């Protein structure tokens, strides 16, 4: 009979998943920084790539706290997000919307990470890993800050990214001048 899985098992498996995701995030951020035209967006990617490298180190500390080896487990979600980002980069390269699409892809990564770090922080607290919960919360706050920054940057990029935007909103209830 198979051993029944516990919250500790879920914590460890999710930690391995996030460890993989964070390493992929570092690579994706560096690639995004090279592709970004908008200086503020490029700087945000470069800064968060450095932050993400520190987050990987924090995750290593969490593995040490729980007495497990720091191992990555392929994160299908992150692979999907990164694959979509690469496809979008190719599709929108050189277009006025390229940076807006880059920012949106980066936010998909941030939202995934925010959900995972929030879960891990909660579980760490429930499992009595107070120091791990603090480390995970530090990363969670960085991810939220990056998401907020990307939202702020996206507003200016999106406004500049489509020449039609200058004419005002389209669609239901709006009138386009002829």
């Amino acid at each position: 009979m198979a051993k029944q899985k516990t919250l500790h098992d879920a914590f460890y498996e999710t930690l391995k998943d996030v460890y993989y995701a964070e390493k992929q995030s570092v690579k994706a951020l560096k690639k995004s920084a090279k592709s970004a035209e908008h200086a503020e967006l490029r700087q945000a990617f470069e800064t968060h790539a450095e932050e993400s490298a520190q987050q990987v180190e924090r995750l290593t500390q969490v593995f040490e706290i729980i007495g497990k080896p720091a191992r990555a487990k392929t994160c299908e979600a992150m692979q999907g997000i990164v694959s979509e980002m690469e496809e979008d980069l190719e599709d929108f390269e050189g277009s006025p919307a390229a940076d807006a699409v880059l920012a949106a892809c980066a936010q998909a990564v941030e939202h995934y990470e925010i959900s995972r770090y929030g879960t891990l922080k909660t579980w760490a607290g429930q499992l009595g890993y107070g120091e791990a919960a603090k480390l995970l919360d530090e990363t969670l706050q960085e991810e939220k800050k990056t998401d907020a920054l990307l939202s702020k940057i996206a507003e200016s990029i999106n406004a500049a990214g489509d020449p039609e935007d200058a004419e005002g909103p389209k669609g239901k209830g709006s009138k386009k001048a002829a």
Side-chain angles (χ1 to χ4, degrees), residues 2 6 26 59 80 91-92 113 130 152-153 155 162 170 174 178:
T6 66
V26 171
L59 287 171
D91 289 349
F92 287 88
E113 291 176 339
K152 180 179 164 270
I153 294 169
E155 287 176 11
D162 190 348
K170 311 283 183 301
S174 68

Side-chain angles (χ1 to χ4, degrees), residues 166-178:
E167 298 173 23
K170 311 283 183 301
K172 279 188 174 178
S174 68
K175 295 180 183 174
K176 184 176 180 181

Side-chain angles (χ1 to χ4, degrees), residues 30-66:
K30 288 178 180 179
K31 186 172 187 176
S32 295
K34 288 179 184 172
S35 299
E37 294 290 325
H38 190 273
E40 192 177 5
L41 182 62
R42 185 174 37 258
Q43 182 60 51
F45 288 149
E46 289 169 356
T47 299
H48 197 55
E50 293 169 15
E51 241 177 18
S52 293
Q54 293 172 340
Q55 292 168 354
V56 170
E57 289 304 313
R58 262 188 233 126
L59 287 171
T60 303
Q61 292 175 353
V62 173
F63 281 110
E64 290 171 10
I65 289 167
I66 67 170

